[in-house]
Amino acid sequence: MNNSGHYPQDSDGGQANSTTAIMSAPLKRRPPMTSFGAYLTLDPDTGDKPATVFQLWAPGVSSSDGSGVQLLLPRLGQKHAMKKEENGFFRLKLNNIPAGTLYHYEIISSGNVLPVPDPASRYQPEDVHGPSCVIDPNAFDWASTENDWKGRPLAETIIYELHVGTYTPEGTFKALETKLDYLCQLGVTAIELMPISEFPGGRNWGYDGVLPFAPESRYGHPDDLKRLIQSAHQKGLMVFLDVVYNHFGPDGNYLHAYAQSFFTRKHQTPWGDAINFDDSGSEVVRKFFVENALYWLNEYHFDGLRLDAVHAIKDNSSPDILEEIAAAVHTAENAPGRSRHIHLMLENERNQARYLKPDHYAAQWNDDIHHALHVLISGESSGYYADYAERPIEHLGRCLSEGFAYQGEISHFGNSEPRGEKSDALPSTCFVSFIQNHDQIGNRAFGDRLSHFAHLDKLRVAAEIYLLAPQIPMLFMGEEWAASTPFTFFCDFHPELAQAVTEGRRKEFSRFEEFSDPKNREKIPDPSSLNTYESAILKWEEKDESTHAQWLLLYQKLLSLRQQFIVPFLKNASGKYSSEDGCAEFITSYEALSDEAVHVSWQAKRDGGETLWVYANFSERDVPCQTPNPSRVCEVLYASGDENAKSLLQGKVPPYSVTWFYGC
């Protein structure tokens, strides 16, 4: 298998697509989202003149007391009063307002005028406090090949998480496009962008976004993003987007001024009043976020979304907002998931396995396997690692064979309460495995990567496990060459907020002994410093140097083997792969061979199903083991060293080794 993607087979013998049912359905081009924001249309009165409709949900503004909403077109020197309609919406239709026009809404209350951006702005060329820009969603000329792109099945997914602003020196969508060939050569099949919604200032992780429909202007024009996605598809790469539906950032969110019911005091979150998904007025709020998900999938052609920290979403409705989004994406009339592969993924500390099912959420980031591997690699056991410090090899084995390590057991870090739901019946592909990501690196005081402090032989063992296991692997940018650059938290707020963020971050680390001294805390990089941001920009020149090049070769080899052997194994195990997104199901088992060695097996449930075995040892000693019957071993897929497989068949797992067997 290669990275050429999923296009119909042509008469010249082009690539065939195994997902024939989805391939047979044409990719429908749906009309732009029109419930929120400004959109271009034809004047319904004349049927031929171009018009722009402006609309703002401002239920907190009452026209009867002299309050109201005005549309300001600053470059045209125009102001227009907007009419309040049903459900708290203010709307106005104007002829001959072209794409590219800048506009503000003005909230008038008690004689005061507050200019605000459109909360559903499609583009903010002058940052979060500036005017919004009218965008024509149909102006981008998609290539004809885009009609043939149907995405890729879950079994083929190999994710590469990246931050647009620090992945290249330029930090733009255009610059990222130039790296797509490298990513194909590496062997990944999907890139996942950290949040790109408009955030305040010129640098941010993205989780402080305040305008969820506007691609960050620092990264480029909306058409640059569409061109990036189109180019990725032409190379066989899926593109996923990290979206934040649990809070808004602290600077640039004006909703409290005119749409107080966007939030509710009924629930509290780390960011204050929760977004209102289940209180009075929640119907409009829910629609805002459902349409946001559809907007990215339909208008930009993203192949999937990763929903950030859904455990922080407060919603007692039935169905809840997560279920409503999933239905809109997969099963509703004209849902994008009905005509192409769309993968929704979750970050969920609660390990709620109930969400992981067909036509719902394809997978969840599995923090459990990260934490178990991190303890084995580094020996660290503070904070949430304390739950994994005792027998981490058992947690690793359970993650590899059953999904979650915590499936209802007591989490002492989590207030000594049960955490998680049973996951042993779920397919392995429901879980995203990783040894590094933006959180796990960036939440360290100095943003140091594993290669900066961990035992390198153990780090290699971890990579050899997670990149070939049946779960969906995810790399963090630069991991593949053991990048020297840290990834520390950074932001660019106004001075008062910036100071509070800096003090708050350093205070967070005061509970650690090494930072109990205020002088040591001052050494923690300042998130607001330009130097902190610039230190995170990848140094591409180092990937071909010495040890970095060796790591890169290892990752390329492992990902090539995954595409050559593991992906077909997953496809064959699904039994229904030719007609839909089949999920491989296995009879699994694991055995802790020692405190640092484990054996795991996966046997396909269907009749005569093949078996995959792994033997891994994180220690410096040989570990005795009972090896598979040689008559059942068809092939040694991978061994850390030339003698590993031979040693295993003699009943011992060599030090710092991983060996994968495939059985017929």
Side-chain angles (χ1 to χ4, degrees):
M1 195 197 80
N2 57 31
N3 255 4
S4 53
H6 287 268
Y7 294 91
Q9 185 173 20
D10 56 32
S11 58
D12 296 324
Q15 169 147 358
N17 179 11
S18 54
T19 54
T20 53
I22 289 183
M23 283 300 300
S24 63
L27 180 62
K28 298 177 180 177
R29 292 290 176 246
R30 297 172 182 83
M33 185 201 68
T34 57
S35 298
F36 301 91
Y39 67 93
L40 298 168
T41 185
L42 292 178
D43 189 328
D45 297 328
T46 65
D48 57 355
K49 291 183 179 180
T52 300
V53 176
F54 297 88
Q55 48 195 357
L56 177 71
W57 189 56
V61 178
S62 173
S63 300
S64 60
D65 62 0
S67 301
V69 177
Q70 289 187 142
L71 174 70
L72 171 63
L73 304 175
R75 293 186 180 176
L76 299 179
Q78 298 179 16
K79 284 188 179 182
H80 302 271
M82 299 182 70
K83 180 182 178 182
K84 189 171 186 179
E85 299 180 355
E86 72 284 350
N87 298 327
F89 276 93
F90 286 77
R91 289 190 175 89
L92 175 67
K93 175 176 63 66
L94 294 176
N95 291 331
N96 300 316
I97 302 296
T101 300
L102 299 180
Y103 66 99
H104 258 130
Y105 295 120
E106 291 187 333
I107 308 300
I108 304 170
S109 178
S110 302
N112 297 316
V113 177
L114 175 67
V116 300
D118 189 337
S121 169
R122 279 24 170 219
Y123 185 43
Q124 286 290 122
E126 299 177 23
D127 208 10
V128 296
H129 301 290
S132 303
C133 182
V134 176
I135 290 292
D136 180 0
N138 296 316
F140 183 76
D141 186 17
W142 291 94
S144 59
T145 54
E146 189 67 15
N147 286 315
D148 300 327
W149 173 257
K150 308 301 176 186
R152 301 181 77 139
L154 190 60
E156 296 181 3
T157 304
I158 303 168
I159 305 171
Y160 188 94
E161 187 196 17
L162 63 87
H163 179 268
V164 175
T166 55
Y167 192 59
T168 64
E170 301 86 352
T172 63
F173 297 130
K174 287 183 178 180
L176 173 55
E177 188 178 350
T178 68
K179 299 299 184 183
L180 296 180
D181 285 337
Y182 162 79
L183 293 169
C184 291
Q185 293 164 6
L186 173 61
V188 300
T189 62
I191 58 175
E192 180 173 313
L193 308 183
M194 289 175 62
I196 59 171
S197 297
E198 186 73 28
F199 51 71
R203 52 192 184 273
N204 196 284
W205 271 19
Y207 298 93
D208 293 312
V210 293
L211 298 170
F213 290 87
E216 170 56 41
S217 56
R218 159 73 175 80
Y219 299 155
H221 188 274
D223 285 355
D224 295 335
L225 175 58
K226 292 178 180 178
R227 190 171 295 105
L228 165 66
I229 295 171
Q230 175 177 269
S231 295
H233 289 169
Q234 290 172 340
K235 298 176 186 297
L237 291 170
M238 295 182 286
V239 187
F240 301 154
L241 178 63
D242 194 340
V243 293
V244 183
Y245 294 159
N246 53 51
H247 78 289
F248 289 89
D251 182 21
N253 172 27
Y254 290 88
L255 288 165
H256 288 283
Y258 57 86
Q260 297 88 342
S261 50
F262 215 97
F263 304 91
T264 175
R265 295 182 179 177
K266 179 179 173 181
H267 305 294
Q268 292 299 303
T269 74
W271 307 280
D273 292 349
I275 292 176
N276 177 19
F277 289 117
D278 63 359
D279 206 349
S280 176
S282 63
E283 298 85 357
V284 177
V285 179
R286 292 167 74 93
K287 189 173 186 179
F288 182 88
F289 287 101
V290 169
E291 292 201 359
N292 182 261
L294 293 174
Y295 164 77
W296 292 117
L297 298 172
N298 286 334
E299 196 162 309
Y300 284 88
H301 302 182
F302 277 99
D303 299 282
L305 304 174
R306 179 260 191 187
L307 277 64
D308 174 66
V310 299
H311 50 268
I313 293 175
K314 309 296 183 181
D315 183 8
N316 294 328
S317 304
S318 182
D320 63 29
I321 186 61
L322 296 182
E323 294 167 317
E324 188 172 344
I325 289 172
V329 169
H330 288 301
T331 60
E333 185 179 2
N334 290 330
R338 298 180 70 167
S339 59
R340 58 188 174 102
H341 294 288
I342 298 290
H343 306 301
L344 297 180
M345 300 185 184
L346 298 174
E347 179 194 21
N348 188 355
E349 287 182 358
R350 295 197 181 105
N351 283 3
Q352 293 168 300
R354 72 188 78 165
Y355 289 113
L356 305 178
K357 53 189 176 183
D359 292 335
H360 220 62
Y361 289 89
Q364 176 179 315
W365 280 24
N366 192 357
D367 280 343
D368 283 0
I369 196 168
H370 168 272
H371 297 348
L373 284 167
H374 187 95
V375 172
L376 285 163
I377 295 168
S378 70
E380 294 180 345
S381 59
S382 59
Y384 44 66
Y385 295 127
D387 276 346
Y388 305 82
E390 185 177 350
R391 299 283 287 171
I393 203 73
E394 292 276 359
H395 291 296
L396 173 60
R398 194 179 198 198
C399 287
L400 289 169
S401 63
E402 300 181 13
F404 297 134
Y406 279 84
Q407 302 179 32
E409 289 77 15
I410 297 296
S411 166
H412 297 290
F413 179 76
N415 300 318
S416 296
E417 295 179 352
R419 173 173 171 257
E421 299 172 353
K422 293 291 289 182
S423 63
D424 56 341
L426 291 173
S428 298
T429 47
C430 286
F431 305 93
V432 177
S433 297
F434 47 89
I435 56 175
Q436 301 184 80
N437 65 25
H438 71 273
D439 267 333
Q440 304 304 336
I441 300 173
N443 288 341
R444 300 179 68 84
F446 297 99
D448 39 346
R449 297 167 179 263
L450 280 171
S451 55
H452 298 167
F453 64 91
H455 190 294
L456 293 184
D457 282 327
K458 293 183 178 183
L459 178 58
R460 173 184 50 77
V461 168
E464 292 167 339
I465 294 172
Y466 99 94
L467 292 177
L468 292 178
Q471 290 76 20
I472 302 301
M474 183 180 74
L475 296 66
F476 183 69
M477 64 177 200
E479 171 191 331
E480 70 275 17
W481 76 71
S484 67
T485 49
F487 191 75
T488 312
F489 177 67
F490 50 79
C491 55
D492 183 23
F493 295 130
H494 60 78
E496 182 179 353
L497 180 56
Q499 182 178 352
V501 170
T502 299
E503 292 174 354
R505 179 166 175 82
R506 289 174 175 171
K507 184 178 180 180
E508 285 179 12
F509 289 98
S510 63
R511 66 183 186 275
F512 295 95
E513 183 177 352
E514 62 185 300
F515 297 114
S516 58
D517 185 339
K519 291 183 179 179
N520 286 339
R521 290 200 296 274
E522 290 178 4
K523 298 177 183 177
I524 296 174
D526 180 356
S528 300
S529 168
L530 180 60
N531 289 335
T532 302
Y533 167 75
E534 290 179 339
S535 72
I537 298 173
L538 290 180
K539 298 177 181 178
W540 281 86
E541 66 276 9
E542 72 181 12
K543 70 178 178 63
D544 299 319
E545 300 172 357
S546 183
T547 304
H548 298 294
Q550 294 176 25
W551 278 103
L552 181 56
L553 285 172
L554 173 66
Y555 269 68
Q556 288 173 325
K557 178 179 180 179
L558 292 170
L559 294 180
S560 176
L561 287 170
R562 182 178 187 86
Q563 293 197 14
Q564 186 179 358
F565 294 107
I566 304 302
V567 169
F569 175 67
L570 295 173
K571 291 179 179 181
N572 292 337
S574 72
K576 54 184 179 179
Y577 184 81
S578 61
S579 61
E580 55 183 289
D581 249 350
C583 291
E585 297 184 357
F586 303 104
I587 299 169
T588 62
S589 65
Y590 74 94
E591 177 187 5
L593 304 173
S594 74
D595 288 345
E596 294 185 275
V598 68
H599 161 234
V600 188
S601 69
W602 298 263
Q603 181 179 7
K605 285 185 177 180
R606 63 182 181 80
D607 293 342
E610 299 87 351
T611 301
L612 187 69
W613 296 277
V614 65
Y615 294 81
N617 183 1
F618 288 86
S619 74
E620 61 183 358
R621 306 178 306 277
D622 285 335
V623 175
C625 68
Q626 183 175 354
T627 56
N629 186 333
S631 65
R632 291 196 60 210
V633 175
C634 296
E635 193 164 2
V636 178
L637 298 186
Y638 176 80
S640 297
D642 294 338
E643 297 299 315
N644 283 7
K646 183 178 179 180
S647 296
L648 270 163
L649 293 175
Q650 294 174 349
K652 59 183 179 181
V653 189
Y656 303 127
S657 71
V658 175
T659 305
W660 288 90
F661 293 100
Y662 175 72
C664 301

